[in-house]
Amino acid sequence: MRQNIKKNLIILAITQLIILIILFLYHHKITLIHYIDISFYFTAGFILLSLLLYTIHSGFYDIISKSFNTAFSRDREKRKFEDVPGLSELITLDEKPLLFHGLFNGLLMIAALIAYYF
């Protein structure tokens, strides 16, 4: 557990460093409003990617991926629809770390937004 917390903190620190580097390279100065803008993109990316992985793991896209696989491999080999693996079986990434990093970056962004308005 302690190793997992340390790894998450290192990833969060790297994410914040990347945000600051992009902020400096793109805007040539570091301001609070520009930090909020850039961190919003990171937060949205992490959360949307975790939601996409969640829907994939739920099996929502399995029928579509099986249908495409069956349709595009029709001439090469004959196999049953049930033998084709679903997309949820092929993608094994865990969505929970992405959601955690997205929410934590979002909390830092909200804290910066509150500091900006007060």
Side-chain angles (χ1 to χ4, degrees):
M1 172 125 176
R2 187 173 174 97
Q3 185 72 10
N4 195 16
I5 293 172
K6 185 177 179 181
K7 183 176 77 168
N8 282 334
L9 288 177
I10 289 172
I11 292 173
L12 286 170
I14 290 171
T15 304
Q16 291 300 309
L17 183 66
I18 291 172
I19 289 172
L20 291 175
I21 289 170
I22 291 173
L23 178 68
F24 188 71
L25 291 176
Y26 187 70
H27 294 289
H28 304 293
K29 60 183 175 180
I30 297 176
T31 61
L32 198 56
I33 194 71
H34 292 130
Y35 170 79
I36 294 167
D37 290 342
I38 300 297
S39 64
F40 174 78
Y41 292 122
F42 275 82
T43 300
F46 280 136
I47 291 176
L48 288 175
L49 189 60
S50 69
L51 290 174
L52 176 66
L53 287 173
Y54 178 75
T55 57
I56 288 172
H57 290 159
S58 70
F60 185 75
Y61 299 111
D62 282 351
I63 298 297
I64 296 169
S65 67
K66 285 183 178 188
S67 298
F68 276 124
N69 195 331
T70 303
F72 289 125
S73 66
R74 183 174 301 184
D75 294 335
R76 287 180 279 175
E77 59 186 62
K78 299 289 183 187
R79 57 182 181 178
K80 296 180 182 175
F81 187 76
E82 296 82 24
D83 296 338
V84 177
L87 192 60
S88 62
E89 298 170 8
L90 297 175
I91 297 181
T92 59
L93 287 173
D94 191 18
E95 72 272 359
K96 291 178 187 102
L98 291 172
L99 182 64
F100 171 76
H101 294 301
L103 291 176
F104 196 79
N105 281 322
L107 287 175
L108 291 175
M109 179 192 63
I110 289 172
L113 190 62
I114 290 171
Y116 178 75
Y117 280 111
F118 292 113

